Amino acid sequence: MKKCLALMLTGVMAMSLLTACGKDNAAETTGDAVAEETETESQEEESAEAEDASAENAETESAGEEDGSTDADVASGVLSDGVLTVGTNAEFPPFEYVGDDGEPDGFDVALIKAIGEKLGVEVRVENMEFEALVAAIGNKIDVAIAGMTITEERQKVVDFSDPYYDALQYVIVPEGSAIASMDDLAGKNIGVQLGTTGDFIASDDVEGANVSQYNKGVDAVNDLINGKVDCVIIDKNPAQVFAEKFEGQVTAVDGAQFGFEVEKYAIAIPKGDTALADQINAALKELKDDGTFDELVSQYIEN
Ligand code: GLN
């Protein structure tokens, strides 16, 4: 959104440009409001900010990573329009799910809203497919929070905030199943959520597995109950939520038994935007220090 804002602030207000830059209608509307406000308030400040924004922009694009700045006071251009557009996949309880009001809710959604509050920006949550999140960062969305594990592959495309939660893959099996170790998984029909670390384990590490990839974890669990797959590999907390939902039919087995490694969830941010990383990490730290983070853990995860 930086380019759009810089253009607006330099006074180029033509609607055609707004549309050309447009990420989504809602964000444009706010961009408009911000631009209008600054325009009437202070013309000078405005052009100074615009220069800043384009300077920052050029920096991020050319040598963002070498910038080496760790000063959280430096504001990221991403936030300069007052809106943080966040992508998630609301199919991953308790971290994200569609609430009773039809809007994304859950631990991650509450956490990113609290971070937005600390940073003084409005948070807009876009619900999209998990697989699409990483590629959308920096264009359709500013950042993603989706119980997303830090992986080397993803780090080639995006940066991550400090980790905020430890996770582990679990194996959901039918009640009474004999599947209890990595050897037992060999050659099995395994259900996973497409593009997740559970998918990578099943597809890359399990010998002779026949992997069925679903867009929603719950669909994999439904096929487990229907007998179409032998087990489902998915993160611990959703596994426990699903096991509870289908109590008596399935159980969630601890991934440690299978030798799975501990994973760390973090917020995915545009590659090289160290200013944004610093700001998000500073907000995250404040939320941990002031007890908000723990409150959200007990409200959404331990509850
Ligand atoms: N933690 C897993 C991953 O990052 C699954 C995330 C999800 O399904 N939302 O791949």
Side-chain angles (χ1 to χ4, degrees), residues 192-226:
V192 297
Q193 195 185 351
L194 178 67
T196 62
T197 44
D199 185 4
F200 306 149
I201 289 177
S203 303
D204 304 338
D205 301 346
V206 178
E207 231 184 87
N210 178 24
V211 183
S212 301
Q213 296 158 317
Y214 300 82
N215 275 322
K216 303 177 182 184
V218 70
D219 290 342
V221 179
N222 276 320
D223 268 3
L224 176 65
I225 289 165
N226 298 334

Side-chain angles (χ1 to χ4, degrees), residues 5-16:
L5 189 74
L7 284 169
M8 284 187 276
L9 291 176
T10 14
V12 185
M13 292 298 292
M15 281 315 286
S16 59

